[in-house]
Amino acid sequence: MRSFGRALGVGVIICASLGVGMALPAAGAVTGGPVTTTPAPWTPHFASSSIPVSKVRQLAACGATMYAVGTFTTILQSGVAYTRNNAFSFNASTGAVSNWDPNVNGLVNSVAVSADCSTAYLGGIFTSVHGTAVKNLVSVSASTGAVNTNFTHTANGRVEALLVSGNHVLVGGYFTSVNNSPRRYLASVNPTTGLDDAYLDLNISGNYVYTDAGGLSANSNPSRVYNLELSPNRSRLLVMGDFTSVAGYRRQQIFMLDLGASSGTLDAWYSSEFNAYCAIKTPFYVQAAAWSPDGASVYVATTGLKPATGTGYLTSDPRGGLCDAAAAFPSTSVSTLSHRWINYTGCDSLFSITADANDVYVAGHERWANNGSGCNNAGPGSVSRPGIGALSPSIGAATTWNPTRSRGQGADDMITTTNPPGLWIASDNAAGADQCGGVQGHAGICFLPA
């Protein structure tokens, strides 16, 4: 066990990259970084809606503009209501809602913007954008929302994740074909035409199936790519989803790609810890990942409740595995990695994670951190962190940073920006959730300045 000069709280487990984890003594929270706990007052937010729950699924920044997508119909900003169906943009420093209005007729899960901020790519479950017939994938003007008709726009299944990487648009989801491409679940397409550019050929396959009583069938838990996270130097990519094989190698929950000039190839990076199963009802549990700013560490945020069997299986057990936790791994390109630390929520899900030089930020519908000895209760050494919290990058203990947030269904996305500097949180208004940093009126979007 390494000594970092600061003690850890109960519920934080640490190990060397190839060692065995152990719980360390309680010591409360450690000092956090510079992001404030008071939200900017000008961010757009949800108005009352006829749909059951409004939700921002993802945020993206390009220049002075923020793009928000999800499921919603009306946005309020400074007392003015704007009709925006499932996609809108606004000024990153003032919150002023722009005229950009793609008018999407279904859920938008992801948005990616070209480097010159001229084009936005949208993916989700929809059939019409700006009055044009499309299917689950589209390219639009980032200023007017009009469909770029030169970009072929048909995915035969739900699109979950989009990313612009150099001269490629990477598309992840449930599909087995995008614009007639034979690539399943993750494809690379030309940013102008939408056609397969042969950059990726990974043969992703398999899914998590439980055969015991009450378990999931293959049909109820289909293969998919769910999330993508690019490294700070843009040379490596984390891919999260439901699969068991990638490029002929065993991979579950997550894998890493090397993004070369001519192709994207599977990196050796992996840990056998991702082969373990969490609760039957949540077989896919690594739903978000982030990189440290120097690219040396990978952080994951998980759902999963508790392990399906073994240590931590019973509610009364100390928590075990990677279920309902945040964890850090080295980014070293070897397949024998073990976690550096794990911080358990105590049986509450985390859906998003991001990091700066001072903190690892986690959010979902959690109630606690440092809670390795509790399950739906505050165990010894735990600290209250409703809806959002921050962890020390080096040791994984909760920091003193504790803005609080209405838990709702959970925060689906977080990003940090440098202009303006701070942390953005995307969430929902389930059960009237609209509080962030102790302030009402932040349903859907909250910005905590640095």
Side-chain angles (χ1 to χ4, degrees):
M1 181 178 65
R2 298 177 183 176
S3 173
F4 292 96
R6 291 187 289 185
L8 296 177
V10 166
V12 183
I13 295 176
I14 189 168
C15 68
S17 61
L18 300 177
V20 177
M22 61 179 68
L24 296 174
V30 299
T31 303
V35 172
T36 69
T37 58
T38 302
W42 40 258
T43 50
H45 58 279
F46 296 138
S48 298
S49 173
S50 59
I51 61 177
V53 176
S54 295
K55 176 181 291 190
V56 172
R57 290 280 289 116
Q58 189 178 27
L59 293 164
C62 200
T65 303
M66 295 293 297
Y67 295 83
V69 298
T71 177
F72 44 80
T73 57
T74 307
I75 300 297
L76 285 176
Q77 200 275 329
S78 297
V80 179
Y82 300 84
T83 299
R84 292 292 186 272
N85 292 314
N86 306 318
F88 77 102
S89 68
F90 59 96
N91 185 281
S93 297
T94 68
V97 176
S98 77
N99 292 327
W100 187 68
D101 185 12
N103 190 25
V104 187
N105 75 339
L107 170 69
V108 183
N109 286 314
S110 188
V111 56
V113 187
S114 61
D116 64 0
C117 302
S118 67
T119 302
Y121 302 91
L122 306 177
I125 312 173
F126 48 78
T127 58
S128 174
V129 174
H130 216 269
T132 300
V134 300
K135 189 172 183 181
N136 302 329
L137 176 67
V138 70
S139 166
V140 301
S141 165
S143 56
T144 68
V147 172
N148 296 320
T149 55
N150 290 333
F151 184 93
T152 312
H153 38 249
T154 299
N156 73 347
R158 174 177 179 149
V159 173
E160 288 283 359
L162 294 169
L163 178 73
V164 175
S165 176
N167 295 319
H168 313 281
V169 178
L170 307 186
V171 186
Y174 290 70
F175 56 81
T176 55
S177 176
V178 171
N179 297 335
N180 295 318
S181 165
R183 321 299 177 195
R184 293 171 174 259
Y185 317 122
L186 182 62
S188 175
V189 301
N190 180 281
T192 301
T193 68
L195 299 179
D196 192 306
D197 58 17
Y199 184 71
L200 295 179
D201 186 10
L202 298 169
N203 192 25
I204 298 171
S205 63
N207 59 319
Y208 315 134
V209 179
Y210 293 91
T211 58
D212 53 344
L216 290 164
S217 69
N219 291 334
S220 65
N221 185 50
S223 306
R224 66 223 187 242
V225 164
Y226 181 77
N227 211 342
L228 304 171
E229 188 68 25
L230 193 61
S231 67
N233 66 4
R234 308 185 70 83
S235 68
R236 295 194 287 175
L237 179 71
L238 294 168
V239 181
M240 292 131 273
D242 194 325
F243 38 72
T244 58
S245 178
V246 179
Y249 291 86
R250 182 175 185 179
R251 293 292 188 272
Q252 294 186 188
Q253 305 291 336
I254 188 170
F255 63 89
M256 184 186 291
L257 293 180
D258 294 316
L259 302 179
S262 59
S263 64
T265 57
L266 185 66
D267 189 281
W269 179 89
Y270 194 60
S271 170
S272 61
E273 294 179 56
F274 298 118
N275 298 339
Y277 291 100
C278 291
I280 287 173
K281 65 181 181 180
T282 53
F284 166 50
Y285 54 85
V286 181
Q287 296 196 357
W291 298 80
S292 60
D294 62 4
S297 295
V298 168
Y299 307 113
V300 299
T302 71
T303 64
L305 184 63
K306 55 187 180 181
T309 59
T311 303
Y313 171 66
L314 299 176
T315 299
S316 58
D317 290 344
R319 304 275 47 87
L322 294 173
C323 313
D324 276 356
F329 290 84
S331 66
T332 313
S333 295
V334 297
S335 59
T336 54
L337 298 172
S338 295
H339 66 268
R340 286 176 171 160
W341 51 255
I342 301 179
N343 193 306
Y344 292 101
T345 63
C347 301
D348 284 337
S349 294
L350 298 176
F351 301 127
S352 57
I353 189 165
T354 193
D356 58 25
N358 300 283
D359 293 273
V360 178
Y361 302 98
V362 295
H365 62 236
E366 78 275 25
R367 289 165 286 182
W368 305 283
N370 293 8
N371 197 17
S373 297
C375 184
N376 289 317
N377 67 287
S382 64
V383 292
S384 175
R385 292 294 183 269
I388 193 168
L391 311 176
S392 162
S394 59
I395 58 177
T399 74
T400 54
W401 187 82
N402 184 26
T404 74
R405 187 189 63 78
S406 296
R407 295 168 62 216
Q409 291 181 350
D412 275 358
D413 192 30
M414 290 191 295
I415 62 171
T416 57
T417 55
T418 56
N419 186 25
L423 174 70
W424 296 86
I425 305 107
S427 60
D428 59 78
N429 64 355
D434 75 342
Q435 179 270 125
C436 180
V439 180
Q440 305 297 318
H442 292 276
I445 297 174
C446 179
F447 177 60
L448 298 170

